[in-house]
Amino acid sequence: MSKTLRLLLGDQLNSNHSWFSTVDDSITYVMMEIRTETDYALHHVQKVVGIFAAMRAFATDLKIKGHQVIYLKINDEYNLQAFDKNIVKLLSEHNFSRFEYQWPDEYRVDRLLKNICKTIAVASTAIDSEHFFTTRNELADFFEGKKTYVMENFYRALRKKHRILMDGDQPITGKWNYDSDNRKKLPKEHKPAPPLQFNNELSLLYEEILKANCKTIGTIDASQFLWPINRQQSLALLDFFATHCLPLFGTYQDAMTPNEWSLYHSRLSFSLNIKLVSPHEVITRVVAEWNLRPAEIEFNQVEGFVRQVIGWREYMRGIYWNKMPNYATLNFFNHQEKLPSWFWTGKTKMSCLKDAINQSLQYAYAHHIQRLMITGNFALLAGVHPDDVDQWYLGIYIDAFEWVEITNTRGMSQFADGGIVGTKPYVSSAAYIDKMSHYCGSCYYKKNIKVGEKACPFTSLYWNFYDRNESKLAANPRIGMMYNVWRKMKPDDKTALLEQAQYYLNNINDL
Ligand code: FAD
Ligand code: DLZ
């Protein structure tokens, strides 16, 4: 009997994949916990534990269904700790005559697997992971010949193509995008529903990871691991989101407040990115909820969510496959600074950054506006090298995989791509942070003070950013207005702001 070895990666846990529709004794699946993957970034400990737990649960499930599975644990002595070494060894030891894999989501692994196939003596094939709405090249084809890649156009085309919230060729309500309704601050006394957390007992797995000496960041309560680690829990989280969070998702999508770490966000990104649920299932469930409760759930809530999943998520993936590997080298502003040391500890006097970083260390999660307008905003204003920024984001979040991390970080957040993903840099002074959050009231720094000991660093760094990048940004029509304000400022005020910014940049680790 000719035998086939099929590789499954840690983010390919799609139980609905056509591979699993029949049980075939000539096929063996291999899954491996390996050091090349635990070590390519300084991952959050919850990310490593979560992925290993989900991989193990998936392998067990496959075995229960009758599939043949080889599972290499991190401390197994015959584990050679790299995809290529383990595959070559397994092929020869078990006399496989074929090797198959699903197209990976990451460029590095894509190259690696293609190279393996060139060196092994057996036939090989790769197929789609059957997860996304779009193919790897769909965005490139859609924008062929265009100078800019406008996300909104791609999003509308996908809504039409997949008939989501549509009435024939038109959006069901007559309007495509409700973003302008989705920028409310959380009322002071408002208490969101507590997030659904799971109590997975993963202490033994955590001990194995400690024994393997994998270097990680962040904290964990492994006896009550809170993230979903299987399909059933992922579907429960989706259900929880649709029932309890969707009604206010859009309204408070951009809001930030201390001690509420996820507000009305879905926290589905981990389950989605490792493919325990599909974007199709997520959209279907959410649209069904809106159809059931149209009086309770305003349209801006559901449209806002759908836009994140079929708009931004698919768009970022398309940009990644269109622009890699060059994308990873882009540094439009030629930023060279190091990430402040407190990004790794949360020990800063700035209330917003302290909260966003500490919650990231505690939960391996921050919501989009915390990532974009707090940590990302600060890194950009401080002129941090995009490589450093990428390394931080690629490690710290449980949902961080390069295809969606780098496009958001280097692209949307750091504008290091010079405007492929975004039309302008996402920077702000204290005013925006105060408008959208409750951080400033309790901060050591004062939002209204521009210079002096208690001046909020965001404000002087903001003007310093515009001043030092004038030659690159002044012609951008979306920010011309800021340059008018800057030019009209009194020379003494400008000098004071720039001196204040320089002082902060010189003492960045002490802020
Ligand atoms: P919700 O707010 O509930 O949104 C629903 C879903 O929409 C998310 O689960 C996600 O799948 C999708 N989504 C929302 N925004 C985006 C976006 N900008 N790009 C792609 N998909 C989106 N997302 C990741 O999945 N992995 C990352 O490594 C990652 N890194 C980021 C780095 C930076 C600097 C920024 C600004 C954003 C990053 N994002 C990343 C996008 C976004 O912040 C997260 O998807 C979101 O916070 C995940 O939380 P959630 O599931 O509660 O999202
Ligand atoms: C992120 C990650 C980690 C930490 N560990 C593993 C692992 O041990 N084995 C594995 O197959 N996958 C792991 N992953 C996910 C991979 O890094 C991911 O599959 C690739 O980046 C492709 O997206």
Side-chain angles (χ1 to χ4, degrees):
M1 178 174 69
S2 97
K3 289 176 23 177
T4 299
L5 182 67
R6 284 180 173 172
L7 172 69
L8 281 171
L9 301 174
D11 59 353
Q12 294 181 331
L13 310 182
N14 175 5
S15 56
N16 288 326
H17 194 278
S18 54
W19 265 3
F20 310 121
S21 55
T22 50
V23 174
D24 183 340
D25 281 350
S26 72
I27 293 169
T28 302
Y29 294 95
V30 61
M31 302 176 76
M32 46 184 99
E33 299 169 359
I34 48 178
R35 293 309 294 261
T36 55
E37 300 313 292
T38 58
D39 296 359
Y40 70 77
L42 186 54
H43 299 292
H44 197 292
V45 61
Q46 291 181 38
K47 183 177 172 191
V48 180
V49 170
I51 289 175
F52 283 12
M55 287 172 69
R56 288 182 184 194
F58 194 82
T60 303
D61 199 44
L62 285 183
K63 284 184 200 161
I64 290 169
K65 287 175 177 150
H67 298 285
Q68 312 286 318
V69 181
I70 296 175
Y71 192 95
L72 303 179
K73 289 186 176 174
I74 193 76
N75 293 315
D76 285 345
E77 60 188 66
Y78 44 87
N79 182 346
L80 299 179
Q81 304 294 347
F83 289 125
D84 46 0
K85 290 184 185 151
N86 278 329
I87 288 164
V88 168
K89 182 162 168 256
L90 288 170
L91 287 173
S92 79
E93 279 180 1
H94 297 261
N95 284 321
F96 288 108
S97 52
R98 266 193 92 70
F99 171 62
E100 297 181 354
Y101 65 93
Q102 296 175 20
W103 292 321
D105 286 339
E106 192 187 330
Y107 188 85
R108 168 186 64 95
V109 182
D110 194 60
R111 290 295 97 130
L112 182 93
L113 293 175
K114 280 182 176 142
N115 283 337
I116 295 176
C117 293
K118 282 185 203 146
T119 57
I120 55 181
V122 301
S124 57
T125 43
I127 65 163
D128 198 275
S129 61
E130 299 172 10
H131 170 82
F132 292 96
F133 275 94
T134 51
T135 65
R136 274 185 184 178
N137 296 326
E138 198 161 330
L139 174 134
D141 295 342
F142 180 80
F143 287 112
E144 180 149 33
K146 299 272 183 332
K147 279 203 185 115
T148 52
Y149 297 72
V150 181
M151 194 291 286
E152 183 68 20
N153 297 344
F154 192 57
Y155 162 59
R156 290 182 188 188
L158 289 181
R159 272 193 45 198
K160 276 190 198 167
K161 178 173 173 186
H162 297 280
R163 294 195 289 278
I164 297 166
L165 301 176
M166 295 298 291
D167 179 7
D169 236 19
Q170 291 306 308
I172 194 162
T173 58
K175 186 174 153 184
W176 285 103
N177 184 314
Y178 285 70
D179 199 30
S180 55
D181 294 344
N182 292 356
R183 293 173 194 155
K184 300 235 169 28
K185 185 172 180 159
L186 207 70
K188 196 99 188 144
E189 304 309 324
H190 183 102
K191 201 81 194 120
L196 173 65
Q197 301 183 184
F198 300 94
N199 288 312
N200 293 302
E201 169 49 271
L202 299 178
S203 305
L204 292 177
L205 167 58
Y206 178 47
E207 275 170 32
E208 288 178 55
I209 290 165
L210 288 178
K211 189 175 161 213
N213 250 324
C214 298
K215 207 166 169 244
T216 58
I217 46 168
T219 56
I220 186 169
D221 180 353
S223 65
Q224 299 179 67
F225 186 76
L226 67 95
W227 290 99
I229 54 166
N230 55 40
R231 182 165 162 78
Q232 189 201 356
Q233 291 182 352
S234 302
L235 291 174
L237 188 60
L238 171 57
D239 226 46
F240 178 85
F241 171 74
T243 315
H244 300 289
C245 302
L246 180 65
L248 287 174
F249 171 81
T251 304
Y252 298 125
Q253 196 180 347
D254 287 3
M256 297 173 280
T257 196
N259 308 318
E260 295 288 348
W261 62 282
S262 62
L263 298 166
Y264 291 95
H265 294 273
S266 69
R267 294 177 299 114
L268 281 165
S269 48
F270 177 59
S271 295
L272 273 166
N273 293 353
I274 63 172
K275 304 183 181 60
L276 291 174
V277 286
S278 74
H280 189 267
E281 286 171 307
V282 169
I283 295 286
T284 305
R285 177 68 183 83
V286 163
V287 172
E289 189 74 17
W290 173 67
N291 278 321
L292 271 177
R293 297 157 65 194
E296 268 175 274
I297 305 174
E298 292 156 302
F299 190 71
N300 65 303
Q301 322 292 354
V302 70
E303 187 281 322
F305 186 81
V306 164
R307 179 157 26 87
Q308 306 312 309
V309 178
I310 66 156
W312 282 109
R313 190 167 186 265
E314 299 287 330
Y315 173 83
M316 291 307 202
R317 175 165 183 265
I319 294 281
Y320 182 78
W321 286 108
N322 187 223
K323 299 292 176 192
M324 282 296 280
N326 187 47
Y327 203 81
T329 66
L330 300 178
N331 187 357
F332 179 69
F333 295 118
N334 192 25
H335 281 164
Q336 299 295 333
E337 298 303 325
K338 292 247 156 303
L339 205 61
S341 54
W342 39 261
F343 261 72
W344 303 100
T345 62
K347 290 189 177 138
T348 166
K349 297 193 280 298
M350 285 177 278
S351 165
C352 54
L353 279 150
K354 184 163 64 185
D355 190 67
I357 294 169
N358 278 322
Q359 93 158 56
S360 303
L361 291 166
Q362 188 182 350
Y363 295 110
Y365 177 90
H367 62 74
H368 186 68
I369 290 298
Q370 291 177 305
R371 298 185 201 197
L372 186 66
M373 296 312 294
I374 304 294
T375 41
N377 184 7
F378 190 89
L380 180 55
L381 295 178
V384 179
H385 196 296
D387 285 355
D388 272 28
V389 190
D390 264 334
Q391 274 304 302
W392 188 79
Y393 280 102
L394 188 57
I396 198 157
Y397 293 119
I398 191 149
D399 56 30
F401 295 88
E402 193 189 63
W403 64 273
V404 58
E405 174 282 320
I406 200 170
T407 41
N408 270 293
T409 302
R410 204 170 273 257
M412 184 189 284
S413 158
Q414 300 300 295
F415 203 74
D417 64 3
I420 297 171
V421 161
T423 48
K424 70 176 177 75
Y426 281 99
V427 285
S428 84
S429 63
Y432 171 85
I433 296 173
D434 187 45
K435 189 172 144 227
M436 293 312 303
S437 80
H438 301 122
Y439 288 135
C440 301
S442 60
C443 189
Y444 167 87
Y445 297 101
K446 300 293 156 224
K447 61 182 190 217
N448 295 324
I449 301 183
K450 296 191 171 89
V451 293
E453 197 205 330
K454 295 270 173 124
C456 172
F458 275 94
T459 302
S460 55
L461 291 175
Y462 173 78
W463 289 115
N464 172 275
F465 169 83
Y466 276 127
D467 183 64
R468 73 173 189 262
N469 291 308
E470 186 161 1
S471 63
K472 290 188 163 145
L473 295 177
N476 184 324
R478 291 201 63 200
I479 39 189
M481 207 179 72
M482 293 321 298
Y483 280 105
N484 289 340
V485 176
W486 180 236
R487 283 180 204 122
K488 280 183 195 152
M489 232 182 258
K490 286 188 199 142
D492 283 357
D493 291 350
K494 285 167 83 169
T495 306
L497 275 170
L498 294 180
E499 280 174 5
Q500 182 71 38
Q502 199 51 54
Y503 174 79
Y504 282 149
L505 290 173
N506 292 344
N507 295 280
I508 203 110
N509 289 325
D510 303 324
L511 291 183

